[in-house]
Amino acid sequence: MGDVSETSWFSLPPESVDAYARHWLAFESGSVDFDDEMDEPLDAVIDGRLASSDPHRALDVVIRILDLIRDDLSGGLGQHTGILAAGLTEDIIRFHGELVIERIEAIAGERRDFADVLGGVWMVTSDDVWRRIRAVATPVETRPDSDQRPRLRSHRRQLRATPLRRRR
């Protein structure tokens, strides 16, 4: 877990957080795939490079995704919170849990939806950070979709195995 520099090799401009959150949801909804309009920054959001290089910006993307899910009048986007937990959120915690734990605690204290997402991550960090995450996370057992976790793991493995094709 290396240090995160002030100017990481990859960084989204502030206005791009919304665009990449929307693209992530479109990808997870199946309306866009790796061949459609993919570019380096979106690849980085999906494959974990954003989480490893710029964890605070990655958290901004997670929060924006949750905002979009909350504002979805059809309610269909809510099915993606488990993938958000097992993907981008878990990557942030794995790579930089110690660096972002205070911010994670603050967000979870203000937002139930984020606490729900934290309830879906697996232990991928130090015991201290994990204890602090468990203290603010909604326990999976109390959520109605707790039987979905094995399917989400399978989906994540499939995503990780998918070769990324970048436009040139």
Side-chain angles (χ1 to χ4, degrees):
M1 289 194 222
D3 292 337
V4 178
S5 67
E6 289 296 316
T7 57
S8 62
W9 69 270
F10 171 81
S11 186
L12 298 173
E15 65 275 5
S16 296
V17 169
D18 179 69
Y20 290 110
R22 288 178 187 279
H23 212 134
W24 184 92
L25 279 169
F27 172 75
E28 291 299 338
S29 299
S31 58
V32 88
D33 66 24
F34 280 117
D35 291 330
D36 297 336
E37 301 177 28
M38 294 293 284
D39 56 15
E40 183 66 22
L42 182 59
D43 288 351
V45 170
I46 292 171
D47 73 13
R49 285 178 288 140
L50 175 63
S52 69
S53 68
D54 195 345
H56 288 287
R57 186 58 56 90
L59 272 173
D60 293 341
V61 172
V62 168
I63 296 308
R64 183 62 188 135
I65 290 168
L66 289 172
D67 290 343
L68 293 168
I69 290 171
R70 179 195 61 216
D71 295 343
D72 174 40
L73 298 179
S74 71
L77 295 179
Q79 66 184 325
H80 301 299
T81 57
I83 296 168
L84 184 60
L88 184 56
T89 308
E90 202 167 274
D91 288 342
I92 295 165
I93 293 165
R94 176 181 331 114
F95 294 123
H96 299 291
E98 294 84 7
L99 180 67
V100 296
I101 187 59
E102 289 180 11
R103 184 168 179 218
I104 286 172
E105 290 169 323
I107 295 168
E110 296 171 5
R111 296 188 59 144
R112 165 90 195 245
D113 56 351
F114 186 68
D116 289 347
V117 167
L118 290 175
V121 301
W122 283 7
M123 183 177 176
V124 291
T125 187
S126 70
D127 289 341
D128 179 57
V129 171
W130 184 243
R131 179 187 50 76
R132 292 169 71 179
I133 287 171
R134 300 308 332 143
V136 296
T138 303
V140 173
E141 303 80 46
T142 66
R143 294 174 42 205
D145 64 347
S146 61
D147 63 329
Q148 300 295 316
R149 189 65 184 179
R151 262 193 336 195
L152 295 174
R153 280 282 160 206
S154 174
H155 177 74
R156 184 175 187 193
R157 278 192 298 277
Q158 182 181 15
L159 272 178
R160 294 259 187 233
T162 304
L164 299 178
R165 294 184 205 109
R166 292 179 175 77
R167 292 186 302 174
R168 305 239 183 248

